[in-house]
């Protein structure tokens, strides 16, 4: 499943990115340039931003780990409602 989410780095403007491989613990983002190790905030639709960290980055693709795993109900909401 692919969807769009808003990604914001500290003291920066939010940018849209393509999200794939979403799980309770993180996701892969593309169409955005990030640096490994940087803290970021990921926002799915109108949900509150999720504090996260860039684990790896290569060109315009990066692996993101959420600071706290998503509750299963939140993951379900994102995949079934926000992704539409």
């Amino acid at each position: 499943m692919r969807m769009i989410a808003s990604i914001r780095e500290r003291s920066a403007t939010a940018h849209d990115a393509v999200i794939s491989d979403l799980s309770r613990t993180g996701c892969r983002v593309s169409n955005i340039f990030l640096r490994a190790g940087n803290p970021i905030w990921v926002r799915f639709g109108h949900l509150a931003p999720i504090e996260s960290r860039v684990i790896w980055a290569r060109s315009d693709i990066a692996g993101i780990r959420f600071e706290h795993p998503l509750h299963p109900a939140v993951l379900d909401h994102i995949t079934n409602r926000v992704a539409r």
Side-chain angles (χ1 to χ4, degrees):
M1 170 175 294
R2 293 179 144 218
M3 67 187 86
I4 302 296
S6 176
I7 307 290
R8 185 177 67 80
E9 293 182 275
R10 186 183 321 251
S11 302
T13 303
H15 296 280
D16 286 345
V18 177
I19 303 294
S20 57
D21 297 335
L22 178 64
S23 72
R24 290 187 61 217
T25 58
C27 61
R28 182 173 55 182
V29 299
S30 58
N31 202 36
I32 190 168
F33 292 90
L34 299 168
R35 280 199 171 142
N38 281 2
I40 63 168
W41 288 263
V42 180
R43 177 175 237 154
F44 296 97
H46 296 291
L47 298 177
I50 301 167
E51 189 176 355
S52 309
R53 185 163 301 274
V54 180
I55 299 304
W56 60 267
R58 196 170 40 238
S59 186
D60 70 336
I61 302 171
I64 306 303
R65 182 181 68 219
F66 303 138
E67 290 295 330
H68 304 284
L70 299 177
H71 187 279
V74 173
L75 179 61
D76 181 64
H77 178 79
I78 292 169
T79 57
N80 291 317
R81 292 181 181 87
V82 175
R84 292 182 180 185

